[in-house]
Amino acid sequence: MSQLEGAANVVLRVPCIVALDLLYRWDPQDFTLLTYDPSVLGALSMQDVYYLGQVMCAVLLLLPLRCLLHLYLYLLTALLLYGAHQSSRDYVRQEMAAGPSGPVYGDHASLTRNVSALSGLVMVATLCSILMRTRQVWLFSAPALPLLARLAGLPLQVVPVLSALSIAPSLLVMTYTALTSLGGLQSLIRAAHQELYQVTELSRLLVVGVSLWSQLAIPLIFLVFWLVMFVLHVFSTLSAKPGALEQQGPLFIFLTSVAECCGTPYCLLGLTFTVSYLALGALNLCKFYLLGYGALQNGNAMHRGVTEGVTLMLLALQTGLLDLHVLQRTFLLSIILFIVVTSTLQSMVEISDPIVLALAATGNKSLWKHLRGVSVCLLLLVFPSFMAYKLAHFFHMDFWLLIMVSSCLLTSLQVLGTLFLYALFMVELLRDCGVERMDEIIYGVKAVSRVLEFLVALCVVAYGVWESMFGEWSWIGVSVIIVHSYVNVWLRAQSGWSSFLLRREAANKISVLPGASQEQLNAHNDLCPICFQEMSVAVVTACSHLFHPDCLRKWLYVQDACPLCHQPVTPSPARQGAGSEEEAEPEEQ
């Protein structure tokens, strides 16, 4: 699909979403019944019209672009014909008001009116024929009958009759065009029904749904729909209240307008996709700033703004955002948007952390890349702390507020650990010799960062338990405490303790291994098989292979096997006992 077709696919479907949103806002119970002649149509209620309108809008939304374009051309032609008939009626009204003045050729003013109106009607008929793709312009020339009759010298009293009768040919032409188009629409509906009827498996139905989702560009449609609604609401607010921007402030106007534009499920979907695209734009901007255009080619699936959009949708549904008044919705929406911004910042930390550390670890000499990486880290360090300060300053502290503040503090702690490791790598890079026990220092920095994150999470859980016991108690609060305790306390503690035991076990295994003597190093005369660097210090494994102690320790974090022969690195207890007995026998002899 070309860019022009893609734009047309979005623009032509937005009115369907607007119609669905308007139908949702209207309550059919507020309308009285429209009663017709029982012998003709019976009684038709507004409830039936309401549901019929929703079904028609949904069908129009799912139509292929070609059929939808034909429909809009048909509607545009009908509007042009309606305008032509209105122009013809205005001409007849002016002629009747001028009174009988004989032939039109004898009155300059009447002739001028006739020629001007007739020229306009000819242009309209030509445009209608172009829209309907036909060369028979006369099919759309019915509005010109009163003018032609006036030029032919017919009495003035006949002109109103011809004006009324000219509507019939136009209706016949448009009805015939609509009926001929119904054949293609029926075949399309029949083909879609057969395809859906043949889809019996859930997987194939999901494939069809995903295909329709991508072909119709549903996210872009809802994005454009919500942006149009938001811009119109801001414009109407500022137009109705000229001094509102200075009195209430741009932030309050923005939040109020956003709250006004998410009062229906369709608007909420539009806001969800808008937030997703904004988060995606912020993450792509962060990648582009750090690595350039090449970073946008292969992106992480988790960094596509989906998390932020889903978070907003779930929080809105859980808190009943649609059922609140405007001021309550504005207050709640500000908190939800704060959580979404925090999630976006966390994603930016996940993007920038490996990039910044790789710049220092690989010894990249580009000063501009280092400045960009450090500037992003400083922004992610200061901005979440500033957000936490503002949130704690303007709102009363409770359990939910503490969760949001703690998430900001955790983000700042992660960035602080990244900056510290970056500084260590840069110090090691600038020194002639490497920093001793660098691996232990890095582990210590990460351990301190994890401990601080664990303590923050533990304080949040403790405050939540205290508030539940002595303050307001709710099932939702208890559920959040349980989930927070498991994910951010128990899993963090379990992961940290497992890492500590793994490192201690690796250190114990290294301490058991004997060190290589200078004669063994000279006889070996080779590089370390792990880091490919010369060995001035080495340990000897049970399989008689030599490695750097630090390199082998890192390897033992992964598996307890020699990297070369895959045998156990340390001798088994039985083998150690056998070896000690063999050493004792010669001494006894």
Side-chain angles (χ1 to χ4, degrees):
M1 183 181 293
S2 63
Q3 294 183 355
L4 183 60
E5 290 180 351
N9 181 65
V10 173
V11 173
L12 296 181
R13 298 184 194 277
V14 169
C16 301
I17 306 295
V18 175
L20 286 172
D21 185 73
L22 292 176
L23 286 173
Y24 184 86
R25 294 175 186 270
W26 291 341
D27 188 2
Q29 301 296 334
D30 295 339
F31 294 89
T32 57
L33 297 180
L34 298 179
T35 306
Y36 300 94
D37 187 3
S39 61
V40 182
L41 294 176
L44 182 64
S45 65
M46 287 303 300
Q47 190 82 16
D48 301 330
V49 176
Y50 175 77
Y51 291 118
L52 181 61
Q54 286 191 336
V55 172
M56 290 181 61
C57 292
V59 171
L60 293 178
L61 182 63
L62 297 177
L63 283 179
L65 180 60
R66 176 177 54 85
C67 297
L68 197 61
L69 182 60
H70 289 168
L71 176 62
Y72 274 97
L73 293 178
Y74 175 83
L75 294 177
L76 182 57
T77 303
L79 289 176
L80 288 174
L81 282 178
Y82 175 77
H85 280 286
Q86 288 296 115
S87 177
S88 178
R89 287 182 180 180
D90 293 339
Y91 168 77
V92 172
R93 194 177 298 113
Q94 292 176 1
E95 288 293 312
M96 296 298 294
S101 58
V104 68
Y105 302 104
D107 188 356
H108 178 73
S110 178
L111 181 60
T112 303
R113 286 196 301 268
N114 189 289
V115 172
S116 300
L118 187 60
S119 302
L121 294 178
V122 170
M123 294 176 61
V124 170
T126 304
L127 183 58
C128 291
S129 65
I130 293 174
L131 294 177
M132 291 290 99
R133 295 182 179 181
T134 179
R135 296 182 179 180
Q136 301 175 352
V137 184
W138 59 269
L139 290 174
F140 309 98
S141 303
L145 286 178
L147 287 80
L148 295 175
R150 186 68 175 136
L151 286 175
L154 294 179
L156 187 59
Q157 293 77 12
V158 182
V159 175
V161 179
L162 291 176
S163 177
L165 294 177
S166 63
I167 300 176
S170 298
L171 290 176
L172 289 176
V173 170
M174 298 309 296
T175 304
Y176 174 78
T177 306
L179 291 177
T180 52
S181 301
L182 285 178
L185 183 61
Q186 288 177 357
S187 60
L188 179 65
I189 295 175
R190 191 182 302 110
H193 178 266
Q194 292 178 356
E195 185 176 355
L196 290 177
Y197 182 76
Q198 294 176 358
V199 176
T200 56
E201 299 179 358
L202 181 60
S203 59
R204 294 185 61 185
L205 187 61
L206 291 177
V207 170
V208 173
V210 171
S211 177
L212 284 176
W213 182 277
S214 60
Q215 290 180 4
L216 299 179
I218 296 297
L220 282 175
I221 293 172
F222 277 95
L223 170 68
V224 174
F225 158 71
W226 191 86
L227 289 178
V228 170
M229 297 284 291
F230 177 75
V231 171
L232 289 178
H233 188 273
V234 172
F235 180 76
S236 62
T237 301
L238 297 179
S239 300
K241 301 177 181 178
L245 190 62
E246 292 77 11
Q247 296 175 359
Q248 300 176 356
L251 181 60
F252 184 79
I253 294 293
F254 171 78
L255 291 176
T256 306
S257 300
V258 173
E260 287 282 358
C261 295
C262 63
T264 63
Y266 304 103
C267 291
L268 183 59
L269 277 175
L271 179 60
T272 300
F273 289 117
T274 304
V275 168
S276 297
Y277 277 102
L278 288 177
L280 176 61
L283 297 179
N284 285 338
L285 182 62
C286 178
K287 295 178 185 178
F288 179 77
Y289 181 71
L290 290 173
L291 295 177
Y293 180 75
L296 304 180
Q297 302 300 320
N298 299 317
N300 190 347
M302 297 301 295
H303 297 153
R304 298 186 182 276
V306 179
T307 304
E308 289 74 14
V310 172
T311 300
L312 184 140
M313 174 64 73
L314 293 178
L315 290 175
L317 294 177
Q318 181 182 3
T319 55
L321 184 70
L322 300 179
D323 300 328
L324 301 178
H325 297 291
V326 177
L327 291 179
Q328 295 175 338
R329 196 186 306 154
T330 303
F331 175 76
L332 182 59
L333 193 62
S334 62
I335 298 177
I336 294 176
L337 291 178
F338 180 87
I339 297 174
V340 170
V341 172
T342 305
S343 176
T344 307
L345 292 176
Q346 181 63 35
S347 299
M348 294 176 67
V349 171
E350 295 174 0
I351 292 173
S352 60
D353 181 76
I355 296 175
V356 173
L357 293 181
L359 289 175
T362 59
N364 194 295
K365 297 182 179 180
S366 176
L367 181 60
W368 174 235
K369 289 184 178 181
H370 284 271
L371 289 177
R372 287 185 296 181
V374 173
S375 63
V376 170
C377 288
L378 291 177
L379 174 65
L380 296 176
L381 175 65
V382 175
F383 189 65
S385 303
F386 177 75
M387 291 173 60
Y389 168 75
K390 286 295 184 180
L391 195 65
H393 180 72
F394 286 105
F395 297 99
H396 176 70
M397 182 63 67
D398 58 359
F399 177 62
W400 303 100
L401 183 63
L402 186 61
I403 290 179
M404 291 186 287
V405 171
S406 66
S407 63
C408 294
L409 294 179
L410 290 177
T411 302
S412 298
L413 286 175
Q414 292 178 3
V415 178
L416 189 62
T418 301
L419 287 175
F420 196 86
L421 292 178
Y422 172 81
L424 284 177
F425 287 146
M426 292 302 297
V427 169
E428 185 182 30
L429 183 65
L430 296 176
R431 292 182 57 179
D432 295 335
C433 57
V435 179
E436 297 182 359
R437 305 182 66 85
M438 185 65 175
D439 180 66
E440 298 295 332
I441 296 176
I442 294 175
Y443 176 76
V445 172
K446 292 184 177 180
V448 171
S449 177
R450 297 296 184 271
V451 168
L452 291 177
E453 294 174 7
F454 173 77
L455 292 178
V456 171
L458 188 63
C459 292
V460 173
V461 171
Y463 185 86
V465 172
W466 180 83
E467 190 179 59
S468 299
M469 294 177 60
F470 301 101
E472 297 181 359
W473 186 90
S474 64
W475 284 108
I476 298 179
V478 173
S479 302
V480 172
I481 292 174
I482 294 174
V483 173
H484 195 74
S485 301
Y486 176 74
V487 175
N488 292 326
V489 177
W490 171 251
L491 292 183
R492 286 179 186 271
Q494 191 178 27
S495 176
W497 184 250
S498 300
S499 177
F500 172 74
L501 293 179
L502 186 63
R503 296 186 67 89
R504 188 180 66 175
E505 183 180 359
N508 292 334
K509 291 178 180 179
I510 294 296
S511 63
V512 172
L513 298 177
S517 62
Q518 189 63 38
E519 291 79 8
Q520 289 176 313
L521 291 174
N522 294 333
H524 183 69
N525 192 23
D526 199 357
L527 304 177
C528 174
I530 298 177
C531 66
F532 300 104
Q533 301 292 329
E534 294 183 358
M535 291 187 295
S536 58
V537 178
V539 293
V540 184
T541 62
C543 52
S544 302
H545 289 130
L546 277 67
F547 301 94
H548 282 143
D550 293 339
C551 297
L552 186 60
R553 184 189 301 112
K554 296 176 183 178
W555 178 264
L556 292 178
Y557 297 158
V558 182
Q559 57 179 346
D560 185 13
C562 177
L564 298 179
C565 62
H566 301 289
Q567 294 184 8
V569 172
T570 56
S572 61
R575 185 176 178 180
Q576 289 180 352
S580 61
E581 291 177 0
E582 292 176 358
E583 293 176 357
E585 287 179 358
E587 293 178 359
E588 292 176 357
Q589 293 177 357

